Amino acid sequence: MCGIAGVMNADPKQPVDPETLVAMAAIQYHRGPDGFGYRVEKGRGVGFSHARLTIIDLDENRGRQPFVSHDGNLMLAVNGELYDYKRIRTELTSRGHKFRTKSDSEIVLHLYERLGLEETLKHMRGEFGVALYDRAHDRLMLIRDRFGVKPLYWTEVNGRIVFGSEIKVLFAHPDVPRRFNAKGLYHQLMQTVVPGTTAFDGIHQVKPGHVVTIERRHGKFEIRDDRYWDMDFPLLEERGEPEDDEVYIEAVRRELMQAVQLRLEADVPVACYLSGGIDSCITLGLSAANQQSPVKAFTIGFDNADYDETAIATEMAESVGADQDVMRLNADHLYDNLVETLWHAERTIYNTLGVAKLLMSRHVNKAGYRVVVTGEGSDELFAGYPAFRRDMFLHGLDTMDRAERASWEQLLSESNKLFSGAMLAENELNDPALNDLVGFTPSCLQPWLATAAHVPGLMSKDMRAQVEGYEPGRAIAEALDGDMIEGRHPLDKAQYVWIKTMLEGQILTWGGDRVDMANSMEARPPFLDHHLAELATKIPPSMRIRGRTEKYVLRESMKGLLPKVLYEREKFAFMAPPAHTDPKKWAAMKALADQYLSDEAIEAAGLLDPAGVKALFELHDAEDTTASTQVQLDAVINHMIGVQVLHSHFVAQDVPALARAKAKELGWTAAA
């Protein structure tokens, strides 16, 4: 895992400044502290840079990127890991290809030379953000992995394309404006982001499973955005009669075992994240079976018993002989580190779990590990969240009578009351645009759409005027591909929407890559292997949720691996305690609010309305405000603090100067 950056000028005769490229690498030093590289294509107005985290091919000079093909036609920079690379490299070598490195990244050059882009993408298995320049076609390709595990951003400004692994990398270029977008601000305050967008004007994400291709024509850019993969569930009429249960159980076992085994490949030690959920317990169990020596397992323990899963995690660690390391967190630790977390997340966060994971990645790094295997993606593939059960029961069980359906709703409400207001909406909400697209408003979006009612009153007069009449649900619906939703089972629809919104925009950003790579620590999620995902689309809904049991097929496939208490346990979403649940945590949050939500701070940023902010705190503290509403308002308060912190980090601060100062501190220079 690394960080990439680059520039392409519309005028090929306009040179790219090497020192700017180096500064763009330096500001993402946390992604790649083991060295940097840069290259400028003379006479072509193109330049890449790279900050390297050494995991495969430890030779400092041999693995330095950007890579260039033997004939000089191709230039490549990669952030991420490509699995099965040894087999691919062996096959290509047998066909006459000469490799200069042992890096997994180099296979992209040779595959592209031999097969072209479309076929190369089929061989790229893993998590990655890739920049590839083809000199012969004067073409820049920005490629992101299928689920968006790795970030990749781009912008077009003043006749140039600027791209990088993080938004701050783009802001390190002096030509890139740093200002909030009104609609982006709206979504930061309500949590759910429109796919492909950011909080900032003109800053785009390469969407998961997409390639953004930029070609120059007569001094102008032609930009094309193409999808090469999607979570394609079968149409209802394509499903036919289901196979015997054992067929699906065996298939999941086979694909998951291979996905985990591939992700243990590294030239450095590999550890595991371990919570009390079955997902991380499965990855630990399979990792332990694959390795000769005991696996290191890292666990976060919270001081709130309602949210702490340490006991179950320890039972799993002991059952497989893992060496468990438990990092205990007190409530007031989390807000103490929120400002730093937001520098890395580059978006607001509703729950301080992101802070907890940043502290954990730091702990893992200090323990001498750079790679961990994680459990992210299991709930998305196998329908593990409370929202999926609600949608299944309400919209997916046509044979269920009203009385039985009501009893299932009651069961769901009782078993998941801890997450009401965050994981589930307190009251049913229907959005017209999402109803039109999906047939119902997915439960996963309802809490955040409910939160959106508070947002206009929180925005400054100028920002509010720019979003008058704005419908956030419609914006999200219009960003989704209706062809991937139409004609599918309701559970398939719910999972697809979650994958495109909550997974990419939340779990894999401030809950994943951004807080892991903040401490140069690579997280590998085997459940998001696309071979396993393609199998999961074919599994009947009744094998994903059977009665009151979610992730049924996964549980059955790993039944022999899991302790009885885990096999039988209902889903428990891993999250940090909300602020209002602990006096110390509430006091720590209030201290941040006093700093960032003072009238002076609000006026300086120009994003929020002081009266609206005060009114929201008063609503939170009102005697008749329910606990579920307090959970929801805790999230909004986090978002308000968050946008103010983001402004201080990326708008008020001179980011280009900061990047150059970092390069100077590191001794990274174009003259080196």
Side-chain angles (χ1 to χ4, degrees):
M1 298 292 179
C2 306
I4 66 174
V7 176
M8 182 181 193
N9 293 323
D11 180 0
K13 296 178 181 178
Q14 183 178 4
V16 174
D17 176 29
E19 294 294 352
T20 297
L21 290 176
V22 174
M24 292 168 72
I27 203 167
Q28 55 184 328
Y29 167 83
H30 49 278
R31 299 191 71 89
D34 297 330
F36 78 101
Y38 79 93
R39 181 181 175 88
V40 172
E41 291 288 298
K42 293 181 179 179
R44 307 299 289 183
V46 177
F48 289 2
S49 63
H50 186 265
R52 187 181 186 214
L53 177 63
T54 307
I55 289 173
I56 292 175
D57 192 355
L58 304 185
D59 185 296
E60 179 181 348
N61 294 313
R62 189 171 59 194
R64 188 188 300 271
Q65 296 187 36
F67 291 148
V68 179
S69 60
H70 286 272
D71 61 2
N73 182 55
L74 303 176
M75 180 168 62
L76 171 75
V78 176
N79 162 39
E81 296 294 347
L82 299 168
Y83 305 114
D84 203 21
Y85 70 95
K86 288 183 177 179
R87 180 192 63 80
I88 295 170
R89 184 175 65 204
T90 301
E91 180 178 344
L92 289 168
T93 299
S94 74
R95 297 178 182 276
H97 287 256
K98 305 296 182 185
F99 284 78
R100 295 173 176 170
T101 77
K102 293 292 184 179
S103 168
D104 55 305
S105 299
E106 193 185 352
I107 65 170
V108 176
L109 287 178
H110 297 272
L111 287 169
Y112 181 83
E113 283 180 325
R114 186 172 192 85
L115 303 173
L117 179 63
E118 184 176 349
E119 289 301 312
T120 294
L121 292 168
K122 296 176 183 178
H123 291 277
M124 293 172 66
R125 183 176 189 174
E127 44 273 358
F128 47 81
V130 173
L132 179 63
Y133 175 65
D134 183 334
R135 189 183 184 96
H137 294 92
D138 200 15
R139 176 186 302 152
L140 171 65
M141 292 153 279
L142 302 177
I143 310 165
R144 194 173 180 200
D145 68 71
R146 294 166 179 81
F147 285 100
V149 180
K150 294 289 104 185
L152 188 54
Y153 300 90
W154 67 277
T155 188
E156 181 182 6
V157 58
N158 295 344
R160 59 172 52 90
I161 298 291
V162 182
F163 67 86
S165 293
E166 298 188 3
I167 295 174
K168 63 180 67 69
V169 177
L170 278 59
F171 286 163
H173 194 292
D175 280 7
V176 176
R178 308 188 310 279
R179 58 176 176 262
F180 270 83
N181 175 278
K183 292 177 181 177
L185 174 63
Y186 194 115
H187 284 273
Q188 294 294 309
L189 289 168
M190 65 167 278
Q191 170 64 23
T192 306
V193 175
V194 176
T197 69
T198 71
F200 302 100
D201 259 348
I203 307 297
H204 313 285
Q205 294 191 61
V206 178
K207 295 178 184 177
H210 279 237
V211 181
V212 174
T213 303
I214 302 107
E215 296 183 344
R216 287 184 287 211
R217 293 283 187 272
H218 310 298
K220 294 184 179 179
F221 292 120
E222 290 185 1
I223 302 174
R224 193 172 72 247
D225 185 354
D226 298 309
R227 186 181 66 201
Y228 68 89
W229 189 89
D230 208 348
M231 193 74 175
D232 189 1
F233 290 95
L235 296 170
L236 278 170
E237 60 264 27
E238 294 172 343
R239 285 202 173 274
E241 289 297 316
E243 304 275 1
D244 291 338
D245 285 5
E246 202 59 31
V247 172
Y248 301 109
I249 291 167
E250 284 299 322
V252 168
R253 183 182 293 123
R254 180 183 64 251
E255 290 295 343
L256 183 54
M257 285 170 55
Q258 184 182 52
V260 171
Q261 190 169 14
L262 286 171
R263 281 156 182 81
L264 295 173
E265 174 68 37
D267 294 337
V268 296
V270 179
C272 291
Y273 274 159
L274 176 64
S275 69
I278 69 168
D279 314 323
S280 64
C281 289
I282 286 170
T283 58
L284 174 66
L286 293 176
S287 298
N290 264 285
Q291 295 188 182
Q292 297 296 97
S293 56
V295 178
K296 189 77 171 180
F298 292 94
T299 299
I300 298 174
F302 293 114
D303 59 354
N304 185 321
D306 287 341
Y307 294 83
D308 186 51
E309 301 181 281
T310 304
I312 295 177
T314 298
E315 183 173 341
M316 182 65 199
E318 290 175 350
S319 75
V320 298
D323 177 13
Q324 188 185 25
D325 182 328
V326 179
M327 182 188 72
R328 291 236 164 245
L329 288 176
N330 296 323
D332 48 349
H333 286 170
L334 300 176
Y335 278 99
D336 290 346
N337 295 274
L338 179 63
V339 172
E340 179 189 359
T341 302
L342 292 171
W343 166 258
H344 292 287
E346 298 179 335
R347 62 148 297 168
T348 63
I349 62 178
Y350 83 91
N351 183 276
T352 49
L353 173 61
V355 184
K357 292 199 70 176
L358 178 133
L359 295 175
M360 173 56 89
S361 68
R362 180 175 299 155
H363 182 77
V364 172
N365 181 285
K366 289 181 178 178
Y369 287 84
R370 293 182 164 205
V371 184
V372 293
V373 179
T374 74
E376 280 86 7
S378 167
D379 292 306
E380 284 71 21
L381 266 56
F382 301 108
Y385 288 115
F388 295 149
R389 272 197 291 177
R390 171 178 274 182
D391 290 338
M392 178 75 157
F393 299 149
L394 292 181
H395 309 290
L397 298 178
D398 296 335
T399 59
M400 184 179 286
D401 61 38
R402 288 188 177 184
E404 189 178 6
R405 189 176 300 183
S407 70
W408 276 115
E409 278 194 273
Q410 180 64 29
L411 169 68
L412 185 66
S413 174
E414 290 174 359
S415 62
N416 294 291
K417 62 183 178 181
L418 196 63
F419 312 112
S420 182
M423 296 295 290
L424 294 174
E426 185 174 10
N427 300 301
E428 188 77 12
L429 184 147
N430 286 290
D431 182 90
L434 286 163
N435 283 354
D436 288 345
L437 179 72
V438 182
F440 55 93
T441 300
S443 295
C444 67
L445 296 181
Q446 290 186 33
W448 311 119
L449 291 169
T451 299
H454 300 287
V455 170
L458 298 175
M459 299 175 73
S460 68
K461 182 178 179 181
D462 177 57
M463 286 291 187
R464 192 185 312 134
Q466 295 180 52
V467 294
E468 187 175 353
Y470 181 65
E471 300 176 51
R474 183 170 301 280
I476 293 170
E478 290 175 351
L480 299 171
D481 187 345
D483 289 342
M484 292 288 106
I485 295 173
E486 186 178 2
R488 270 69 173 189
H489 187 280
L491 183 61
D492 298 343
K493 295 178 179 182
Q495 288 178 235
Y496 183 85
V497 171
W498 178 290
I499 286 168
K500 294 299 173 184
T501 55
M502 306 300 287
L503 176 65
E504 190 273 339
Q506 171 183 307
I507 294 168
L508 297 179
T509 53
W510 62 258
D513 170 88
R514 312 308 288 279
V515 290
D516 292 320
M517 290 300 287
N519 293 294
S520 311
M521 209 280 299
E522 171 184 308
R524 299 176 172 181
F527 284 104
L528 294 180
D529 184 281
H530 74 280
H531 292 265
L532 177 62
E534 288 168 357
L535 166 66
T537 64
K538 299 176 177 62
I539 295 172
S542 62
M543 285 292 289
R544 286 172 258 158
I545 299 176
R546 178 157 294 183
R548 67 179 67 201
T549 304
E550 84 285 339
K551 295 188 286 195
Y552 173 78
V553 66
L554 178 63
R555 290 174 189 269
E556 292 302 308
S557 71
M558 294 293 145
K559 185 175 180 179
L561 183 73
L562 297 169
K564 187 172 185 290
V565 65
L566 264 172
Y567 168 72
E568 295 178 348
R569 190 188 189 209
E570 201 171 298
K571 168 68 181 174
F572 185 97
F574 185 52
M575 60 189 285
H580 78 272
T581 61
D582 185 282
K584 286 185 178 179
K585 193 170 186 181
W586 182 255
M589 183 279 293
K590 286 285 287 182
L592 272 182
D594 289 343
Q595 178 182 354
Y596 286 97
L597 296 177
S598 68
D599 289 351
E600 295 78 15
I602 289 174
E603 183 180 356
L607 302 175
L608 302 178
D609 178 82
V613 171
K614 288 183 176 69
L616 190 123
F617 273 100
E618 290 171 359
L619 176 61
H620 184 284
D621 294 340
E623 289 186 6
D624 59 347
T625 298
T626 65
S628 294
T629 299
Q630 281 190 316
V631 171
Q632 185 186 85
L633 297 181
D634 278 358
V636 179
I637 291 169
N638 285 334
H639 294 322
M640 293 191 304
I641 295 171
V643 296
Q644 290 289 104
V645 173
L646 292 179
H647 182 275
S648 68
H649 279 325
F650 303 116
V651 180
Q653 186 169 212
D654 188 340
V655 181
L658 182 70
R660 288 180 180 264
K662 185 65 177 178
K664 184 177 180 180
E665 174 194 330
L666 296 170
W668 291 8
T669 172

